[in-house]
Amino acid sequence: MQRPPEVREPGRAADERLVALSDGVFAIALTILVLDLSVPPDLGPQAFHAALREALPGIGAYALSFWVIAQLWWDHRRILAAIPEIDVRVVWLTLLGLALVALVPFPTAVLADYSEESSAVALYAAVVAAVNAVHLALLLLSHRGPGRAASPEALRLQRLDDADVAVAVVLFGLAVPLAFVSPTAALLSWLLFLPLKPVIGLRQKVAARRARRG
C-alpha cells in the first residue's frame, strides 16, 4: 500500500491538514454528545417534570464529556504545535487518538443510562485514559525532536507537560479496576482533576517563563 502524500511530505502543509482534521473530529464529537438529550413531546405537566428529572443523568454525562473532550482538544493542539516535524508516527498516533475521541459519545450515552453499573463506568474511564495515553506518546515524541533544548528550565517544562497528561492517564486508568469495586468511588475519583490540573498548569506557566528567559 502506497504511503499517503501527507506522510511522505511532512511540513507546514501536512501540519495544517492534520490540525484541520483533528479540529473537525473534535467538533463532531462535541456536537454528537447533545443528540441523546431530549424530552418527549406532548407531555402533561407531571410527566414533563418527570421526564426532565430522568434527563438529568444525561445532562450530567454531557457536561462531563464536553469538559473532557475540550481538555483533550486543547492538549492535542498544544502537543501538535510542539512537534517539529509531522512524520508517520505522529500521523498514526493522531489517527488512533481521533478514533478514540470519536468513540467518546458512545460511553457517554452508556454512562448516562447506567452510571451505577461497573462496566459502564469502566468503559468510559478506559476510553478517556486511552486517548490521554496516545497524547502522552505524542508528547514524548515531541521531546525527542531535533533541536530540542536541554537546559534545566526546558527539561523541567517538559516534565511538567508530561505530568499534565500523565495525571489523566493515571486517574482514569485507575478508575477502571476501581469501578468494579465501587462505581460511585470511581466517578468521584475524577474530581481529583479539579485541584490537580490548575496546580500543574500554574507550574507550567512559571516554568515556561523561566525557559524563555534561559
Side-chain angles (χ1 to χ4, degrees), residues 79-175:
I79 293 167
L80 282 185
I83 295 176
E85 184 178 2
I86 302 298
D87 60 18
V88 66
R89 296 172 300 175
V90 173
V91 171
W92 285 113
L93 279 172
T94 298
L95 291 175
L96 175 59
L98 293 178
L100 292 167
V101 168
L103 183 64
V104 170
F106 170 66
T108 300
V110 174
L111 184 67
D113 293 333
Y114 301 98
S115 60
E116 296 180 355
E117 294 291 334
S118 298
S119 297
V121 178
L123 173 63
Y124 187 92
V127 171
V128 177
V131 181
N132 280 284
V134 172
H135 285 183
L136 183 58
L138 283 169
L139 192 57
L140 293 174
L141 278 179
S142 74
H143 295 339
R144 298 176 182 176
R148 298 288 91 183
S151 67
E153 294 81 7
L155 291 175
R156 174 175 171 77
L157 180 58
Q158 287 180 3
R159 288 194 293 269
L160 287 170
D161 288 343
D162 294 343
D164 185 45
V165 179
V167 162
V169 178
V170 171
L171 284 181
F172 280 94
L174 290 177

Side-chain angles (χ1 to χ4, degrees), residues 2-10 14 17:
Q2 188 177 3
R3 183 181 295 178
E6 290 82 359
V7 178
R8 288 189 288 107
E9 300 174 5
R17 287 193 292 271

